[in-house]
Amino acid sequence: QVKLVESGGGLVQAGGSLRLSCATSGFTFSVYNMGWFRQAPGKEREFVAAVHYSGLNTNYADSVKGRFTISRDNAKNTLYLQMDTLKPEDTADYRCAAGGSLAGAGYEYWGQGIQVTVSS
């Protein structure tokens, strides 16, 4: 059974940092591209970042470039998102996903999501 479980979310002040983790099981993590997406209330889901299965290539939405860093540990089957210099507009439900492109399309497996709230 495929599982993706996010952790590390919560409430943080603007300018602060959070590190999200996505623990996975049930599929061969090391051959899947992985991504992070987010959805704010009343808005559509948007792509945040993606990493190639090798870990050597990444892609970011313009809104987070230079502030967020996606990484993975293939030995631990875990995906990470380091979020620095957080802004109130980063407030959203964040979900990890597996199996799509670095551009953010075609993801096959999804986590349930975790809330990140940035106060001003």
Side-chain angles (χ1 to χ4, degrees), residues 3-14:
K3 289 187 178 179
L4 293 85
V5 180
E6 300 92 345
S7 61
L11 174 64
V12 64
Q13 288 189 333

Side-chain angles (χ1 to χ4, degrees), residues 49-52 55-60 69-71 102:
V51 59
H52 190 260
L56 296 178
N57 297 96
T58 58
N59 185 40
Y60 296 91
T69 303
I70 189 171
S71 63
L102 292 189

Side-chain angles (χ1 to χ4, degrees), residues 62-74:
D62 287 343
S63 58
V64 306
K65 202 169 292 184
R67 300 187 298 121
F68 290 12
T69 303
I70 189 171
S71 63
R72 64 190 297 156
D73 186 334
N74 285 351

